[in-house]
């Protein structure tokens, strides 16, 4: 389980990005990977899964 902060999330388009706390890595997140609804600046926990264009955040939960 990784920890991070929601940098950007667009409800209308259903995607955004999460910045990992332990590094400067940012990961794509799609609405299908959410457990809880999220907003910008929310603290979250997440898993990583290989997607079409790299690693995606999945099982995203508000911390």
């Amino acid at each position: 389980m990784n920890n991070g902060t929601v940098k950007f999330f667009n409800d209308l388009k259903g995607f955004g990005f999460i910045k990992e706390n332990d590094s400067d890595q940012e990961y794509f997140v799609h609405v299908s990977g959410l457990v809880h609804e999220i907003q910008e600046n929310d603290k979250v926990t997440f898993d990583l899964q290989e997607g079409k264009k790299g690693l995606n955040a999945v099982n995203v939960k508000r911390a």
Side-chain angles (χ1 to χ4, degrees):
M1 203 47 96
N2 300 295
N3 296 303
T5 303
V6 179
K7 181 175 179 180
F8 166 82
F9 192 79
N10 185 319
D11 287 323
L12 295 176
K13 294 185 179 181
F15 73 90
F17 294 92
I18 295 173
K19 183 182 176 298
E20 188 173 36
N21 288 348
D22 296 338
S23 70
D24 284 334
Q25 288 287 336
E26 292 182 10
Y27 299 106
F28 178 82
V29 59
H30 187 266
V31 69
S32 64
L34 301 180
V35 174
H36 300 129
E37 289 184 14
I38 59 172
Q39 297 179 359
E40 289 178 25
N41 299 315
D42 280 351
K43 303 291 184 196
V44 294
T45 61
F46 60 96
D47 294 319
L48 293 172
Q49 182 177 48
E50 190 65 38
K52 292 180 183 177
K53 297 182 180 180
L55 291 173
N56 294 340
V58 295
N59 300 322
V60 179
K61 301 175 187 173
R62 284 189 312 274

